[in-house]
Amino acid sequence: MKRHAAWLATMLLAACCAGAQAQPSLAMPAGYALVWSDEFTEPGVPNSAKWSYDTGRNKAGWHNNELQYYSAERTENAALRNGRLVITARRESLSSAPDWGRQRYTSARLITRGKAEWTYGFFEIRAKVACGKGTWPAIWMLGSQGDWPAGGELDILEYIGHQPGRVFSTVHTAAGSGAKGKGAGTQLPDVCTAFHNYQMHWTPQSIRFGINGVAHFEYLNPGTGNAGWPFDAPQFLILNIAIGGDLGGKVDNSIFPVQMEIDHVRVHQRP
């Protein structure tokens, strides 16, 4: 998905302005029920009934000038250990792979497309992200119908290694994507050393993003049609670590390997 470096300046300004205001709470509404989850309790590789590997642009190169090769069914890059999903980015070249695109880094990008997709709900992903200059871990969603950005994108969490301690949430639509995406950031000094609950509450009226029960950004349905609100259709979930690129920036090769750990993924909806 094409996003640009100018977006970062917009997010930093939004974070500054948002920090001056009291932050509202974000809690799962009463009456919602658990409809899908992964607690990652079984060791080995991710559950193939719930997750698949997105490797489609390895040969051509990934969007945003990213530098990673996304592997499939390779425990060096995605494995379940001690009740957690561990995604690991490494400095290595898998030149023997038939779809290798001359990348010097490996990682994993797990998606629920075709296995689990949702329209509305309360989403919670408990995670500890990867750190270091050049890392770009993300927990996000894409519309399962239509091309980007017309199908919409919901970034529950993005972290950029060269901006330590800041996390971002962003909405991309046909009316505003890339540098014109709508979002905000917030300060989280221990984002790389502690687990936090990254949350999103999506309804027909609005989408609210938060961390540990505190909201930091809300996107309201503008009522102008699909261009500004493509969010009445299913979206699928993505977990990945990108390396470098337009937002990841210059890579510090001394940081590898780096890991993002996910303790659980839970989706609740109104019956």
Side-chain angles (χ1 to χ4, degrees):
M1 304 306 105
K2 294 184 178 179
R3 284 165 276 180
H4 307 284
W7 170 88
L8 178 58
T10 303
M11 294 301 98
L12 292 175
L13 178 61
C16 175
C17 296
Q21 303 173 3
Q23 299 299 295
S25 64
L26 179 63
M28 184 173 64
Y32 275 46
L34 184 69
V35 297
W36 191 93
S37 68
D38 200 337
E39 305 292 331
F40 308 112
T41 54
E42 297 295 328
V45 297
N47 187 341
S48 61
K50 296 183 176 183
W51 304 96
S52 58
Y53 300 86
D54 192 354
T55 63
R57 288 195 60 87
N58 279 340
K59 190 70 172 180
W62 287 89
H63 302 287
N64 313 301
N65 299 307
E66 297 162 20
L67 303 176
Q68 75 286 334
Y69 172 95
Y70 284 129
S71 70
E73 297 182 357
R74 187 171 184 259
T75 55
E76 290 88 345
N77 296 119
L80 274 57
R81 304 189 189 104
N82 302 315
R84 294 168 182 165
L85 167 62
V86 182
I87 297 176
T88 305
R90 300 178 179 275
R91 185 188 179 195
E92 59 181 349
S93 297
L94 295 185
S95 57
S96 61
D99 62 343
W100 183 58
R102 307 190 69 82
Q103 296 95 339
R104 296 186 296 116
Y105 307 94
T106 65
S107 184
R109 173 163 154 154
L110 295 172
I111 63 176
T112 65
R113 183 173 55 196
K115 299 177 184 291
E117 301 168 357
W118 306 274
T119 305
Y120 317 131
F122 186 89
F123 300 77
E124 179 180 273
I125 300 91
R126 183 168 178 80
K128 180 172 64 173
V129 307
C131 279
K133 292 182 178 180
T135 59
W136 185 1
I139 300 168
W140 52 303
M141 302 184 76
L142 279 177
S144 58
Q145 303 173 14
D147 295 330
W148 188 90
E153 175 180 334
L154 300 171
D155 297 331
I156 300 171
L157 162 73
E158 286 187 287
Y159 174 78
I160 304 165
H162 63 76
Q163 291 289 331
R166 284 196 180 277
V167 296
F168 305 92
S169 298
T170 315
V171 172
H172 298 271
T173 67
S177 62
K180 296 181 179 179
K182 305 297 183 182
T186 190
Q187 195 72 24
L188 194 64
D190 62 349
V191 60
C192 300
T193 58
F195 282 88
H196 295 280
N197 295 327
Y198 299 98
Q199 298 156 323
M200 179 180 74
H201 185 204
W202 170 18
T203 74
Q205 293 77 39
S206 69
I207 304 169
R208 302 176 69 214
F209 301 86
I211 302 171
N212 301 326
V214 178
H216 60 259
F217 175 62
E218 182 176 23
Y219 180 79
L220 298 175
N221 184 342
T224 55
N226 192 72
W229 185 267
F231 303 116
D232 293 323
Q235 297 241 336
F236 61 91
L237 184 67
I238 308 170
L239 308 173
N240 72 290
I241 304 175
I243 300 297
D246 297 341
L247 282 185
K250 185 177 180 180
V251 182
D252 177 2
N253 286 326
S254 70
I255 65 174
F256 295 97
V258 293
Q259 297 179 335
M260 176 165 70
E261 299 183 51
I262 298 93
D263 183 70
H264 65 245
V265 177
R266 297 171 184 167
V267 181
H268 296 79
Q269 291 182 319
R270 190 185 305 278

